[in-house]
Amino acid sequence: MNLVIRIHDAQHNHQFGDRFNRRLLIHPGPNRIVIPIQEVREGPDEREMDMTRVRNIMLFAYQLEKPTHILLGKIILE
């Protein structure tokens, strides 16, 4: 299953390149995803994300072939 994680801060200008975006390939069963915080900080194309002002963390699926259930554990920014 394909998921996307999208993170933006208070300065986000609503453009794709002004946020952190990452495609995640999820397999059946437990998955552990670790994204280094520096990669999130460097996500916007032309600036550094203000990690003290993160406003949205969005996880969404796309191109689903059938309805699917996902159980999420902790999401931690540190």
Side-chain angles (χ1 to χ4, degrees):
M1 170 189 322
N2 290 305
L3 295 178
V4 172
I5 186 164
R6 171 187 155 173
I7 303 172
H8 72 258
D9 63 3
Q11 296 175 6
H12 180 48
N13 67 10
H14 304 287
Q15 299 297 311
F16 180 85
D18 192 51
R19 60 184 180 236
F20 175 83
N21 299 285
R22 169 85 41 96
R23 180 180 160 266
L24 307 171
L25 180 59
I26 305 299
H27 301 282
N31 289 255
R32 183 168 200 259
I33 311 264
V34 176
I35 301 169
I37 200 75
Q38 188 62 27
E39 291 181 26
V40 176
R41 184 179 289 113
E42 295 171 352
D45 291 338
E46 298 182 12
R47 64 182 181 87
E48 194 169 273
M49 187 176 305
D50 183 347
M51 300 308 295
T52 65
R53 300 184 71 209
V54 170
R55 292 296 182 258
N56 187 289
I57 300 172
M58 183 183 304
L59 183 65
F60 60 93
Y62 66 98
Q63 298 176 339
L64 290 176
E65 296 176 9
K66 61 182 180 179
T68 304
H69 290 88
I70 300 171
L71 302 175
L72 295 177
K74 294 179 182 179
I75 297 176
I76 302 169
L77 290 179
E78 59 181 13

